[in-house]
Every structure is written in structure tokens, then in C-alpha cells.
Amino acid sequence: MLPELRRRLAATRRRVSRFERREVRQFRRWIETTSNLTRVSVLLFVPLLVGLVTLLANSIALVSFLLFPPLASGTYTLFSEPEGRYSDPGKFVGGMTVGALCGWGAVEFTAAYVYGVPTSALGVDATAAALAVLLTGVVTWLLHLELPTAYSTALLVLITGAAQFAYVVGVALSASLVAIVFVVWRAQFYEQRARYLYRTTNADDHVIVPMRGETAPQTAMFGARIAAAHDAGKVVLLDVVEDEDLAEAERALIRGDETDADYVEDPETDVEAKAADVSARELEQQAAQIETRVGVPCDVVVAVADGDPSQTVLAAAEETNSDLVVTPFETSNGGLSPLVRGLFRSDQNVVAFRSDSERTRWKRIMVPVRSASDGAHAMLDYAQRLAARTGTISACTCIDAERDRRRAESMLADLAETVETRCETRVSRSDVASFLERNDAHYDLVFVGASTDRSAASKFLSRPTYERVRDVETDIAVVHVG
């Protein structure tokens, strides 16, 4: 009974662990979208900062509760649109303070020159309110401090009684506190979110490349340039053979061991020995070329096929501690080859590279995206590694109606902010396939998603992009995020 209970408890723990990992992965993908990140930041920082100001109000008589409404709305504006029109910390502090000063000046002027009464006896006066709004509009316009919350601080002065000076000082201090927190958050987290949130920017240092087909050299160079962007980058060239003896012979040649004389002189194995020698030399030459031209360490591994080519590659990736597979793009009977199909179904990050030329450097890169997903961030990260400082990236999306343009432009702007390489954004009303065919001559490489995160119904209604761009005359990289 006790062993059975232990097994059940162990099984329950495993299910809970799998559920937790799945939930963490889903949350990470959700928070990678910039709009979701700003929503979470608003939910965290607005209550915390208002609570902190409340604590100060209870401790220091200088801080008035009347500044809470404009402070809360202004804080929301800062954190919800960190790159927006009103996201300048100087404008935030200056606009709110100038608004309070204009309101104070309007109260003093109206009390002294319009009614001839003490300021405390004025109350909430319509003339003072109109003058406060007018002064705020004029002064903030002239000083380039236009801010919606400035009008709130100007009007709230009218109900402070004789404590106008204290209110103005409280506005300046509270706004400065919020601005300091915002500046630190934007500089240390929001602008560095690619480093903290997007897995590919901190991973995919070790790249394994199955050496298959005629475009294997270009594919290997492509993988090497992705790996070389990180200091810990490394490339593994993988050769998959059908026979264990042939694999061992090729490994011996790569290690530099002397070939077994009996094996070479055997007529039945002489052809295989020569094939192993040719393969080993080609792999060594390719590795040397990568190390010389790209400057990244390159190893050579030989594996024996176990029936499923994708499982052979995935097993080799695990053994060599490789976190990205870059494979030549292969098709079979009008669809993906078993290798590419199996890799796209795995939890491994995969790039299937279709070479259309002898190119080994890629500086003009297009990245068409559907949304600000983890796949979009991965494609932009790979594009940035290839383009480096001297290249250019075009982040593009296609829309069905003009009403979607503003949302699309905002989405692309959020994506482009995470890229250090020069990045332009383009929105087109055309179909993605025709858009790429019209613009392929301007780019060295196009990244597209593997659509492995889409449902079967979605794939049935709309074919994956890589199936619709077979006529594009430039290099294409199909990205699958595991």
C-alpha cells in the first residue's frame, strides 16, 4: 500500500511540475508582447507609487491629497506609453508644476484685482477657473510642456484654500518622485526587455548544422554568423551516415588517427573508406573556413542514422549542448521533408535555411510578422545578429483594411525598439506573398515563421507563409520557436 501511495504522489508531483512549466512558458510568451508588458507595469507601478505618495501625505503636511487625481492619471500615461508623446519625464514634472503655478497665479490675480478680497475668501470661482485654464494652456504651449494633467493641477488649486504654495511644492516633489522611478524603469528594464524576456537574445549560442544537400556550405555559414554574434558562440557541423563502421572510420579521420589497414584493404569496404575520407576532408575544410572567415569555434560530429533523421539531429543537438538547429530547407512530394517536419514538431529552436545564391553574408534583411509574438522577436534577433551594426532590417506586416494601419504601425514600432541595428517599419495592404515577390530584389534574406503555433483550422484556412513564397528570388529562413 505504501509503495503504491508513493508512486501516486510522485506521479502527482510530475503532473503539477509539468503544469507549472507550461503555465510559466505561456506567461512568458504573453508578457513578451510589449502592450502586455506595459499593462503589467501599469498595474504594478501606479498603485505602488500612489501608495507611496499617500504615505508621504500622512507623514508630511506639505503633500496634499488633492494632487492624487492628476498624479495617478499622469503616472498611468507614463507607464502605459513609455515612448509616447507624453512620456518625457521633464515634461511630466514641468507640466504638472507649471499647471499648479498657473492655477495659483489665477487665484491670486482674481482675488486681488477682480474681487478685491483675500485669497482664502475667494472659494471656487468661475473666473479664476477659466483664467487658470487659459494661463496653463498658454504657458505650457510656450514652454513646450503641454500635458493633459497640467490642467488638473491648475484647477485643483482653487479648492486648496490658503495652502496654494504647499500644494505647488507637493506637486513638484510628488511628480519628481514618479519621474525618477519611471526613468529607472524605462532605462534599466523596458529598453532592455529583449535581454530579460526574449529567450533567443540570451540563448542560441551553440548552433548545430546538419550537412545535407548542395546548399550545406551556405547553411553552415549562415548558422556560423548567427552564433558569432555572441561571445560564447560555437558551431557544430553534423554529418549523418547510415553505417556505424563508416561513421567510426570518418571520426577516426577527423581525429587524425591512422586508418586500420585491414579495413582499407578489404575490397568490400574500400569504397566506404574512400567515401569516409572525402566526407571528413570536406567537413574539416568547411570548419576551417568558418573559423577563419567568421571567427567562431567550429567542431565536426558524425552520427549514425537511426531511421528518423529528425530524431538523429535532435539527439546530436542534445549531446553537443546545442540550443539552435540550422538545417537546409528540404521538401518532399510537395511538402516538408521528414527531417524538417520532425524538427518543426520538436521543442528545439530551428531555422530551416533555403539558399537561393552563393551568398554568405546577409546585410539587408526583411522580417514580415503577423503579431508581436515570441516568434517575431526571435526572427528580429536572428536578423540583428546577421545584419550587425552595418546592415539594415525591415520589420513588415500586411493588413486587410486601412483601419488596421495604426495598430499595425504601433505593433511594429514596439518590435523595432528591441533591435539595436537600424530597423525600418513597413505596413502594406497587399497579400504577404505578393508583397515579398515585389520587394525580394531589395533584400539579401527574408525571415518567415514556421506557423507551428497556429491551430489546424488556421492552417487549413491560410497556408503557412513559407509555402506561399516559393517564387521569391532571395534567401529565405523559416523560423520555428520551440
Side-chain angles (χ1 to χ4, degrees), residues 105-369:
V107 169
E108 294 290 344
F109 178 85
T110 304
Y113 296 101
V114 177
Y115 298 108
V117 297
T119 303
S120 58
L122 182 63
V124 181
D125 181 74
T127 303
L131 183 58
V133 172
L134 175 62
L135 284 176
T136 301
V138 172
V139 175
T140 55
W141 175 42
L142 294 175
L143 297 178
H144 302 289
L145 296 174
E146 296 157 294
L147 192 74
T149 51
Y151 296 94
S152 299
T153 57
L155 289 173
L156 287 171
V157 175
L158 275 66
I159 56 176
T160 58
Q164 288 91 352
F165 174 75
Y167 179 76
V168 172
V169 174
V171 167
L173 292 177
S174 302
S176 298
L177 174 63
V178 171
I180 290 172
V181 174
F182 171 73
V183 168
V184 173
W185 170 82
R186 186 171 67 175
Q188 300 301 320
F189 181 76
Y190 181 79
E191 293 180 351
Q192 304 295 325
R193 61 192 183 279
R195 178 191 307 174
Y196 302 125
L197 296 179
Y198 311 139
R199 289 168 295 172
T200 58
T201 59
N202 296 313
D204 297 348
D205 298 316
H206 293 184
V207 179
I208 187 168
V209 183
M211 301 297 287
R212 297 165 57 98
E214 297 179 355
T215 63
Q218 293 93 318
T219 304
M221 193 64 69
F222 176 85
R225 295 201 182 278
I226 289 180
H230 289 180
D231 293 337
K234 180 181 178 181
V235 181
V236 176
L237 303 184
L238 173 66
D239 187 24
V240 179
V241 299
E242 299 294 333
D243 182 73
E244 177 63 40
D245 292 335
L246 180 60
E248 186 55 41
E250 190 171 338
R251 294 188 190 110
L253 290 168
I254 292 172
R255 291 193 303 265
D257 299 342
E258 292 185 2
T259 307
D260 188 345
D262 294 335
Y263 181 84
V264 175
E265 293 174 359
D266 186 346
E268 296 181 358
T269 59
D270 185 53
V271 174
E272 294 182 353
K274 291 179 179 178
D277 181 63
V278 171
S279 297
R281 291 181 186 277
E282 289 179 349
L283 288 173
E284 288 180 324
Q285 289 174 359
Q286 185 66 50
Q289 186 178 28
I290 287 174
E291 291 181 345
T292 302
R293 296 181 58 183
V294 184
V296 63
C298 186
D299 292 339
V300 176
V301 172
V302 181
V304 180
D306 62 357
D308 186 343
S310 62
Q311 291 304 314
T312 303
V313 173
L314 292 172
E318 183 176 359
E319 292 176 2
T320 57
N321 195 30
S322 300
D323 43 21
L324 174 65
V325 176
V326 175
T327 182
F329 186 84
E330 300 175 352
T331 58
S332 177
N333 299 322
L336 296 175
S337 69
L339 169 64
V340 178
R341 187 187 309 112
L343 292 176
F344 281 177
R345 291 174 177 172
S346 71
D347 293 333
Q348 184 80 34
N349 288 352
V350 179
V351 179
F353 179 67
R354 193 199 77 178
S355 178
D356 190 66
S357 64
E358 299 295 324
R359 186 182 294 109
T360 58
R361 295 186 69 90
W362 300 266
K363 290 296 183 180
R364 299 171 298 164
I365 303 174
M366 176 189 287
V367 183
V369 299

Side-chain angles (χ1 to χ4, degrees), residues 397-402 405 427-431:
T397 192
C398 294
I399 57 176
D400 297 324
E402 195 63 28
R405 181 173 296 276
V427 178
S428 174
R429 285 284 304 275
S430 62
D431 174 77

